[in-house]
Amino acid sequence: MARDAIRQQSPAAHETGSDSALLRALLHDGSVAFACYGADGRYRQVSRALAEINGLSVEEHLGRLPSEILPDELGEQVEESVARVVATGKTWREPEQRWEAASWAPAPRGPGVRVLRTHWSPVHDPAGEITGALAIVHDVTDRHRIAELLGSTQWRIGKLQTVARELAGALTIGEVRAAVAKLGQVTGASHVELRLLDPIGRSPWPQTRTVRPVPAQRLAQAADDERWERRTASWPPLLTAAVRAGQPCYFADRAGVRAVFPEAVEWEDSLEEEQSWAVLPLTTAAGPVGGLYLVYESARTFDEDDQAYLQALAGQCTMAVARARMHEREHRQVVSLQDALLPKRLPDLPGIDAAFRYIPGSLDTEVGGDWYDLFGFQDGRLGMVVGDVIGKGVTAAAGMGRVRAALRALAYSDPSPRAVLTGLDRLFDATENAESLTTVVYAVYDPAAGSLVMSDAGHLPLLVITAEGDVRFVDATPEATPLGWSEERVEHRLSLRPGDIVIGFSDGLVETRVDSLDQGLARLRAAALSAPDTALEPLLDHLVETMLREHEQDDDVTLLAVRVRV
């Protein structure tokens, strides 16, 4: 009978074995507390979780009235709630109830005050008739304990330090939002939102246009009103008001909201479980950047200590947002600088086909100093370069520009890889500081001789894929030092035949937080062997997709490929 009562909520529920299995799982789940009552107020079905809250077995509930097994006041209240749902057919949320569990809820819940919140809904049969009521009970005792802990200064200081550390590690707005989402755990709020205004100078709305003269003051006010309306159209009204006023607002209950916003009746009707609010603007010296919206499911007051604590949290959020926006702005600047310095397309040189891939580091990693280059000489030879300035950000990008220009200048004077790298060593010794280490692999291909001469300064080897499908790495010397650590540079010569492919790449392709360099090189060789197409564009797409799809990109990724024409 009890199972049929719940099935009546969905006429087809008893048709499938999967729904019966789902019902059994819910009844035995230790975290979902609910009960189904008949129109007579007696228990038809009880989940194990609710039975544990009541301190009785499931069997001790079935067929009995709540007043027969629960404390008098609680039992009578439950029966009144069942009668109300059956009579009205409407869902409703019962106010939170505090009950002393010492006398009626033994282990595992144990003695002490429990705070319960119950949501009621009617149960219908297939014909639509109300046959009972369903109660879903939430034990929110822990949330109230957190609220009590908020009164402890020492606890607050510790949590504030924890939040500050987490926000300090957030490099992007997305990471800031993820950190802010956890603020409910340290504020007792049931819901926390971070809303941000568009950065200054990036107005997403059109300028106000008028068709008749309007006094300047009214026009300015109208424009300002429209500006705020467009910027905060999707925001909660309380948050919009607080950020625009630049003052935090605290509302202990709905009456407090109505006192400040008499027009809030329609807005209040749309709320379900919101009872109290803390709304805090985030403001920097440049102006407002957004706001924090904290919602509480029970009425609560905000004393001076509460307000100081919440404003300190808002201050940490403000600094995190400012840092993230500065990081994102610098990231865009570095990407733009590199985009301006690197070639947009490769030259069409005789005897070869060429392709490249350059993928800047993601927002949560600083852009590095990767570069690539391909150029021809008057005698028909061509030079190919892949390099990496060790460092991040604008400094690395600017250093990359200097080294790239210097390498070209030296190569046009003497294309020999040994001569070019030796000249770069002298340049670094004379002009660059000790921290400006740079790795580079430079090779010269002679189509007439069918040979390639290469040398490297601490860079990764070249990947060679022969026309027959063999794959190997070619290195001038495994122990070569980066530029800035001068040594005698060594050249290596290899023969290339029509269809052979040579690929230079940066460490961002093969090094991850999980794999070592040797493991990364082994994965790259396997990816090259499994390539379904040796045409350069699909080949590079295959290598990039295979190497990066299961690994987080920690650095720039650069590849330059040259294929000897058949």
Side-chain angles (χ1 to χ4, degrees):
M1 182 199 316
R3 188 172 298 168
D4 291 340
I6 294 184
R7 283 177 176 169
Q8 287 167 355
Q9 296 176 81
S10 174
H14 66 283
E15 300 289 340
T16 63
S18 61
D19 290 330
S20 297
L22 175 61
L23 175 60
R24 288 194 298 272
L26 289 173
L27 288 171
H28 290 87
D29 191 303
S31 61
V32 183
F34 68 90
C36 183
Y37 304 84
D40 58 0
R42 296 182 182 276
Y43 289 99
R44 290 188 178 181
Q45 194 59 277
V46 179
S47 70
R48 182 169 64 85
L50 183 60
E52 290 180 356
I53 291 177
N54 290 342
L56 299 169
S57 68
V58 170
E59 291 72 19
E60 288 175 297
H61 288 76
L62 300 181
R64 303 176 71 181
L65 292 169
S67 58
E68 295 175 351
I69 60 173
L70 300 177
D72 292 342
E73 184 180 352
L74 177 58
E76 292 173 359
Q77 185 172 326
V78 172
E79 292 176 13
E80 290 175 0
S81 298
V82 173
R84 171 177 174 174
V85 173
V86 171
T88 64
K90 296 181 178 180
T91 62
W92 73 294
R93 186 176 68 85
E94 203 165 28
E96 290 183 352
Q97 304 157 298
R98 288 177 175 266
W99 297 100
E100 178 62 47
S103 61
W104 62 282
R109 295 289 177 175
V113 175
R114 311 300 303 179
V115 184
L116 307 178
R117 178 162 48 85
T118 307
H119 182 85
W120 291 88
S121 58
V123 176
H124 298 84
D125 65 13
E129 297 295 326
I130 298 175
T131 61
L134 177 68
I136 300 176
V137 180
H138 300 275
D139 188 340
V140 295
T141 307
D142 290 341
R143 182 175 296 163
H144 283 263
R145 286 175 178 167
I146 289 177
E148 293 170 0
L149 282 172
L150 291 176
S152 167
T153 301
Q154 184 175 0
W155 186 88
R156 282 175 167 168
I157 292 174
K159 290 301 179 184
L160 186 59
Q161 291 172 337
T162 300
V163 171
R165 284 194 298 270
E166 187 153 353
L167 287 171
L171 294 179
T172 68
I173 293 297
E175 291 177 350
V176 173
R177 290 187 187 279
V180 169
K182 301 177 183 178
L183 288 183
Q185 301 171 7
V186 298
T187 61
S190 58
H191 178 68
V192 180
E193 285 188 43
L194 171 66
R195 297 295 185 97
L196 298 177
L197 296 167
D198 292 315
I200 299 299
R202 295 179 61 197
S203 174
W205 52 88
Q207 294 296 321
T208 302
R209 298 181 63 184
T210 59
V211 295
R212 64 180 185 275
V214 177
Q217 185 175 3
R218 287 178 53 195
L219 180 60
Q221 182 62 45
D224 189 49
D225 290 342
E226 181 181 358
R227 176 185 178 89
W228 278 98
E229 182 178 350
R230 290 178 180 274
R231 298 183 87 183
T232 61
S234 63
W235 288 23
L238 297 183
L239 183 58
T240 300
V243 173
R244 185 170 184 180
Q247 295 293 329
C249 297
Y250 306 95
F251 300 98
D253 50 35
R254 299 191 181 198
V257 175
R258 289 193 294 270
V260 178
F261 300 101
E263 70 281 5
V265 175
E266 181 179 351
W267 167 74
E268 183 179 340
D269 290 341
S270 67
L271 304 178
E272 295 181 358
E273 300 178 351
E274 299 183 13
Q275 298 295 328
S276 301
W277 300 265
V279 190
L280 302 106
L282 307 182
T283 306
T284 67
V289 296
L292 275 180
Y293 184 68
L294 293 89
V295 177
Y296 301 83
E297 291 183 351
S298 59
R300 58 165 295 168
T301 58
F302 298 91
D303 59 24
E304 291 184 2
D305 289 341
D306 291 332
Q307 295 180 22
Y309 176 61
L310 292 174
Q311 288 174 34
L313 290 174
Q316 294 294 331
C317 293
T318 302
M319 290 189 289
V321 170
R323 278 195 305 269
R325 283 189 166 164
M326 181 175 64
H327 172 78
E328 292 180 354
R329 184 168 57 250
E330 180 178 336
H331 187 277
R332 289 192 297 270
Q333 291 172 345
V334 175
V335 170
S336 297
L337 176 59
Q338 286 192 315
D339 186 60
L341 293 173
L342 294 174
K344 305 295 186 299
R345 59 184 180 84
L346 299 177
D348 185 10
L349 299 173
I352 65 157
D353 297 312
F356 72 94
R357 292 291 182 272
Y358 172 68
I359 306 171
S362 58
L363 275 174
D364 56 354
T365 60
E366 290 190 89
V367 177
D370 282 15
W371 93 91
Y372 58 91
D373 206 355
L374 182 68
F375 46 87
F377 299 105
Q378 290 184 346
D379 60 5
R381 289 184 294 173
L382 60 93
M384 63 178 295
V385 184
V386 174
D388 184 4
V389 176
I390 298 175
K392 302 293 182 182
V394 175
T395 301
M400 174 269 288
R402 293 195 301 271
V403 178
R404 177 174 177 268
L407 188 148
R408 272 204 171 209
L410 291 168
Y412 285 132
S413 174
D414 182 350
S416 161
R418 179 187 292 114
V420 168
L421 295 190
T422 301
L424 287 175
D425 278 333
R426 289 197 295 267
L427 174 67
F428 265 69
D429 290 341
T431 64
E432 301 292 329
N433 57 51
E435 289 76 28
S436 300
L437 297 180
T438 298
T439 67
V440 61
V441 57
Y442 168 54
V444 176
Y445 173 62
D446 185 349
S451 64
L452 180 139
V453 180
M454 63 161 294
S455 186
D456 75 276
H459 202 77
L460 298 170
L462 294 175
L463 176 67
V464 177
I465 306 173
T466 68
E468 294 77 21
D470 294 331
V471 178
R472 70 183 190 276
F473 292 107
V474 177
D475 216 340
T477 173
E479 287 78 29
T481 59
L483 299 176
W485 290 61
S486 300
E487 66 173 8
E488 184 177 353
R489 298 302 174 180
V490 177
E491 291 183 344
H492 178 75
R493 181 183 298 271
L494 65 149
S495 297
L496 295 179
R497 293 179 296 174
D500 289 352
I501 299 170
V502 178
I503 302 176
F505 55 93
S506 65
D507 56 2
L509 183 70
V510 293
E511 285 189 315
T512 70
R513 299 176 185 177
V514 178
D515 291 346
S516 67
L517 176 58
D518 288 341
Q519 290 172 323
L521 291 173
R523 287 198 303 114
L524 178 59
R525 183 176 184 277
L529 286 169
S530 65
D533 194 337
T534 57
L536 291 187
E537 296 293 344
L539 172 62
L540 293 188
D541 288 339
H542 170 76
L543 295 180
V544 170
E545 197 275 334
T546 302
M547 297 299 293
L548 300 185
R549 66 185 170 196
E550 296 180 358
H551 296 272
E552 182 179 352
Q553 184 182 342
D554 296 330
D555 200 352
D556 297 356
V557 173
T558 302
L559 298 94
L560 175 63
V562 169
R563 184 175 187 267
V564 180
R565 286 179 184 162
V566 179

